[in-house]
Amino acid sequence: MCDTVVATADVTADGVTILGKNSDRRPNEAHHLLLIPATDHPPGRRVKCTYIEIPQVEHTYGVLLAKPFWIWGAEIGANERGVAIGNEAVFSKVPAQRKEALIGMDLIRLALERAATAREAVDVITKLLAEHGQGGNCGYDQEGYYHNSFLIADPADAWVLETVDRHWAAKQVRGVYTISNGLSIGNEWDLASPDLVEYAIQKKWCTGRDDFHFARCYADFLYTRFSCSAQRRQRTLDSLTDRLGTITVTDVMGALRDHGKTGSQPWRPDAGPADMTVCAHTGFGPIRISQTTGSMVSHLRSGCATHFLTGTAAPCTGIFKPVWMDAPLPETGPMPTGIYDEATLFWRHEVLHRATLRDYVAFHRLYADERDSLEDRFVSGALERACDGVSERAAFSARCF
């Protein structure tokens, strides 16, 4: 399960659009940070995605990816043009395809490599869906098949795109918008696949356009409900809507750290088998089988976007650190795998994360204040340097890591 949020420029404190996402995967599904430069490709070249090959384009933009180590694509990423994207698994009455095609994470990487704006990214993804479809196993050590929704932003624009097989709807968004693991578009949209309503009529999910509602018609009740997507989406919406006009990078990070508790008792990771929170921790099966394995917040200032990455699981136990597209990615060790390796940032942090879970309330208290102090310095220092020279920013990023 995952959560993605956006606050557009008209509701943030400094007039800059901010997109953030938690990537929730299986506990040993290590998160990998990757910076890929812009590349020109010869005619006729093909690109191998997670499962299938498709024709390559003449030029791909430089991309920053935060990804499950074994997948070609990514759950979160940004490109050199200031486009940032996060995706969510969504579940529908239409069965997700088991036949190998493009998966949602492939579509993110392909859109980032090929789109200069958020609107272009919508076009890239929907055209690829029409040509190649979506399908194939998306699980690491347990099979998983699903459709995908996307939240896409650039410095001047933001879109939500929700897909079911090759059917889709997209809406331009302003202000705060968040998505979890459920369809959110209803009876209003700006763009859609030609057969979106007709297919629902054929399936007798509605009688016509007047009573068509994308989420109500297409969503699967059981999986959508047990993912607690409505509750998690409401938490992120509420936390950011309460700060309209003053939303900062730190506020978005706070939304991604949410554990859903509002009473006097502190949150505990053993609260219950269905206690699905925005900052996710694996619990008792079969519902709580994933944890937040990586998080990213992108401050999309035009011409000098700053991206903050944990590179580690559980943002409540980690620190967001700054990265820029034109500066080298700081050293995080070799690409991690599903087996512990102390040479990698992800697995070194897992020692802390999993130790904390043994007595969360007591152990988290030991370092939470220090984490906040460090992160405040990282965020303020990065935003002050956002448009400085490459060498200065690279050195600052390396120090933060």
Side-chain angles (χ1 to χ4, degrees), residues 54 79 85 107 219 221 224 244 271 278 326 375 389:
I54 66 170
N79 71 15
I85 310 177
L107 290 167
F221 172 79
T224 301
L244 286 180
V278 176
D326 60 347
E375 190 172 88

Side-chain angles (χ1 to χ4, degrees), residues 276-287:
M276 303 282 287
T277 57
V278 176
C279 181
H281 303 267
T282 301
F284 301 105
I287 299 174

Side-chain angles (χ1 to χ4, degrees), residues 364-377:
H364 187 257
R365 188 182 299 125
L366 297 176
Y367 59 84
D369 289 345
E370 183 179 4
R371 177 207 66 192
D372 292 345
S373 177
L374 281 169
E375 190 172 88
D376 285 346
R377 285 156 46 196

Side-chain angles (χ1 to χ4, degrees), residues 27 30-31 257 279-281 291-295 309-321 332 336 340-357 360 364 367 371 375 401:
H31 204 64
R257 287 185 168 124
C279 181
H281 303 267
Q291 70 179 30
T292 300
T293 53
S295 304
L309 300 151
T310 59
T312 62
C316 68
T317 67
I319 302 179
F320 286 89
K321 301 165 287 288
T332 59
Y340 175 78
D341 179 0
E342 66 179 4
T344 67
L345 172 64
F346 178 88
W347 281 111
R348 285 199 306 276
H349 179 266
E350 274 302 276
V351 176
L352 171 67
H353 173 220
R354 298 190 190 193
T356 302
L357 293 180
Y360 186 90
H364 187 257
Y367 59 84
R371 177 207 66 192
E375 190 172 88
F401 271 78

